[in-house]
């Protein structure tokens, strides 16, 4: 799987890869990566024979209690084998919602929820059952409308068992393996379902990567289309914007650096480059979800947390960022794609979206791209939902996918 080299050369990161990567670099001479607290539920643990299974193989299924936010819906956790970014086996989980009016081989939507978190409790399978009002699934009303249509919905924990926030390629692989697994659980009766994918922001990133990876990673999957909004398609330019300056959302950049270090500890050892203050900030958000991460990182920047910055000259560090930037990935979806974003989104590099759309159009992808009337990131998610649902309905009905490529 190749990387398209960026036009702006390889000095690029400046205050970036490492520091911008979100975050930082700094400190003790040989600090170890900080991983999330293990989930205490043994269901999430990898079995001893994990390596004997193939990607998407079902490892365990657990019926879950009914959820008041999804009336009449059956809930099952499905544990399956996937691969991490080094092609090593991991155990991952998806939560499958089956509506009361489900029919065998009815539509299946894999919806990649926004997970801005570094802790296992931030995963969708956990958030669905939380009593913390800060972690509720705000998309529940929209998902209920889809369930009423008879769609089954799979919600993968797409950051993986190490909560590797920022590891975008990993999210795409887990998403595809989650679809494989859902279709292999006999009692879900989804083996011959028409399948689509959707997500926004970080969930859109996992969705868009899954669409681009599918021809190589899961060529046997028949996916009718992918709808992705607000996608950070170039981590390199994104970290440069958030990492080098004081920014209220700097915590997200730092969280991405922590998550990428978890996934690539040898190639991106950012903890070795943090100063004492950087390590303290890192530790404060190591098991945090969105609010904790934003609070710990607010007003900081990479330079104040770094002990030294020589990691920015590391080819390995640079390549990690590039390998998780969809704009630079040389793969192209073969399925139809629906994409939407705010043209003035302050959190993500809009130019990377435009460039990626142009590349897809040139390759013959059936792409419909829509601009949201919102000036910023979060409201664009809501305003884009009606168009997303209409587009998904068309794919489930088997209609030819529209395209507004020039």
């Amino acid at each position: 799987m190749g990387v398209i080299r960026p036009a702006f050369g390889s000095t690029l990161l400046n205050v970036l890869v490492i520091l911008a990567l979100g975050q930082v670099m700094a400190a003790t001479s040989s600090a170890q990566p900080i991983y999330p607290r293990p989930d205490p539920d043994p269901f999430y643990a990898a079995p001893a024979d994990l390596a004997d299974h193939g990607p998407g193989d079902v490892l365990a299924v657990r019926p879950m209690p009914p959820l008041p936010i999804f009336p009449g819906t059956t809930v099952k956790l499905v544990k399956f084998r996937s691969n991490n970014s080094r092609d090593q086996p991991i155990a991952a989980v998806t939560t499958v919602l089956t509506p009361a009016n489900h029919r065998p081989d009815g539509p299946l939507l894999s919806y990649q929820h926004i997970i801005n978190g570094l802790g296992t409790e931030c995963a969708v399978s956990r958030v669905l059952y939380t009593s913390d009002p800060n972690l509720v699934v705000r998309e529940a009303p929209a998902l209920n409308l889809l369930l009423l249509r008879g769609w089954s919905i799979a919600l993968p924990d797409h950051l993986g068992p190490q909560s590797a926030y920022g590891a975008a390629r990993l999210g795409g692989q887990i998403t595809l393996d989650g679809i494989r697994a859902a279709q292999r659980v006999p009692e879900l009766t989804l083996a011959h379902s028409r399948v689509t994918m959707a997500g926004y922001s970080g969930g859109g990133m996992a969705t868009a990567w899954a669409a681009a990876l599918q021809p190589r990673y899961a060529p046997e999957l028949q996916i009718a289309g992918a709808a992705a909004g607000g996608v950070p398609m170039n981590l390199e330019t994104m970290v440069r914007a958030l990492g080098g300056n004081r920014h209220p959302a700097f915590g997200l950049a730092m969280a991405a650096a922590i998550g990428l270090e978890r996934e690539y500890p040898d190639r991106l050892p950012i903890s070795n480059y943090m100063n004492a203050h950087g390590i303290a900030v890192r530790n404060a958000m190591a098991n945090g979800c969105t609010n904790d991460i934003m609070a710990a990182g607010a007003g900081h920047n990479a330079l104040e947390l770094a002990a030294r910055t020589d990691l920015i000259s590391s080819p390995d560090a640079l390549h990690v960022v590039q390998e998780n930037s969809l704009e630079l990935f040389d793969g192209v979806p073969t399925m139809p794609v629906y994409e939407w974003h705010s043209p003035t989104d302050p959190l993500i590099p809009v130019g990377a979206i435009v460039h990626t759309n142009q590349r897809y159009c040139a390759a013959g992808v059936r792409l419909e791209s829509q601009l949201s009337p919102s000036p910023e990131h979060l409201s664009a998610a809501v305003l884009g939902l009606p168009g997303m649902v209409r587009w998904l309905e068309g794919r489930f009905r088997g209609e030819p996918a529209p395209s507004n490529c020039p």
Side-chain angles (χ1 to χ4, degrees):
M1 299 183 182
V3 171
I4 295 175
R5 298 299 169 194
F8 29 84
S10 89
T11 152
L12 43 145
L13 296 183
N14 287 348
V15 116
L16 59 317
V17 164
I18 232 171
L19 342 158
L21 235 200
Q23 6 234 328
V24 335
M25 354 206 77
T28 54
S29 38
S30 95
Q32 296 299 308
I34 189 164
Y35 293 96
R37 289 187 296 266
D39 195 298
D41 186 341
F43 181 84
Y44 290 83
D49 65 346
L50 179 62
D52 296 334
H53 296 270
D57 281 356
V58 177
L59 304 174
V61 179
R62 175 195 280 177
M64 296 295 288
L67 284 164
I69 58 173
F70 298 124
T73 297
T74 301
V75 185
K76 282 187 169 67
L77 287 187
V78 180
K79 180 166 67 173
F80 56 93
R81 176 323 204 356
S82 190
N83 290 327
N84 66 14
S85 301
R86 300 179 301 282
D87 290 325
Q88 298 169 335
I90 57 172
V93 169
T94 188
T95 305
V96 182
L97 309 178
T98 304
N101 59 344
H102 167 73
R103 68 181 191 279
D105 296 325
L108 169 62
L109 169 67
S110 181
Y111 184 79
Q112 286 59 253
H113 179 67
I114 300 172
I115 312 175
N116 294 326
L118 291 168
T120 56
E121 65 270 25
C122 313
V124 181
S125 61
R126 287 303 197 183
V127 167
L128 288 170
Y129 288 91
T130 187
S131 58
D132 186 340
N134 293 316
L135 298 179
V136 296
V137 178
R138 291 178 172 80
E139 298 97 329
L143 295 179
N144 268 315
L145 292 176
L146 306 183
L147 291 165
L148 288 172
R149 288 168 162 81
W151 301 3
S152 294
I153 301 175
L155 301 163
D157 293 350
H158 56 81
L159 299 188
Q162 301 293 359
S163 298
Y165 182 65
R169 182 192 295 260
L170 171 71
Q173 293 176 177
I174 289 174
T175 296
L176 293 170
D177 287 328
I179 293 170
R180 283 169 159 162
Q183 294 195 293
R184 295 175 187 177
V185 177
E187 60 265 38
L188 294 176
T189 63
L190 297 169
H192 304 289
S193 291
R194 198 168 181 85
V195 180
T196 63
M197 304 184 294
Y200 187 83
S201 194
M205 187 158 62
T207 303
W209 266 100
L213 286 168
Q214 180 271 327
R216 300 176 185 176
Y217 186 82
E220 85 287 358
L221 284 182
Q222 300 296 311
I223 301 179
V231 179
M233 289 189 177
N234 193 317
L235 297 186
E236 188 178 319
T237 53
M238 186 174 178
V239 299
R240 188 187 299 127
L242 294 183
N245 304 296
R246 295 185 183 276
H247 195 287
F250 173 76
L252 296 179
M254 183 160 181
I258 294 170
L260 284 168
E261 181 183 35
R262 290 171 175 178
E263 191 69 4
Y264 303 90
D266 299 327
R267 298 173 62 195
L268 192 67
I270 64 164
S271 294
N272 288 350
Y273 295 80
M274 295 182 187
N275 58 29
H277 184 34
I279 291 292
V281 173
R282 182 202 71 165
N283 293 350
M285 63 173 63
N287 286 282
C289 299
T290 305
N291 288 358
D292 303 311
I293 287 171
M294 294 292 283
H300 292 299
N301 68 18
L303 293 176
E304 70 179 276
L305 305 181
R308 64 185 200 269
T309 61
D310 47 302
L311 185 58
I312 62 176
S313 62
S314 163
D316 273 349
L318 173 60
H319 290 160
V320 165
V321 184
Q322 293 177 341
E323 288 167 19
N324 286 279
S325 295
L326 191 62
E327 181 186 12
L328 308 180
F329 178 58
D330 66 357
V332 174
T334 54
M335 68 187 71
V337 173
Y338 179 84
E339 184 279 319
W340 80 98
H341 64 276
S342 163
T344 55
D345 193 318
L347 292 183
I348 60 175
V350 173
I353 298 175
V354 173
H355 178 259
T356 304
N357 287 346
Q358 291 171 342
R359 182 163 61 88
Y360 284 3
C361 285
V365 178
R366 297 292 300 177
L367 171 71
E368 180 177 353
S369 179
Q370 296 294 337
L371 296 180
S372 168
S374 165
E376 52 82 47
H377 190 71
L378 293 179
S379 57
V382 178
L383 293 175
L385 281 175
M388 179 197 82
V389 172
R390 285 193 298 271
W391 188 87
L392 291 172
E393 285 179 324
R395 307 296 70 71
F396 280 135
R397 289 194 295 262
E399 298 171 356
S403 173
N404 58 4
C405 286

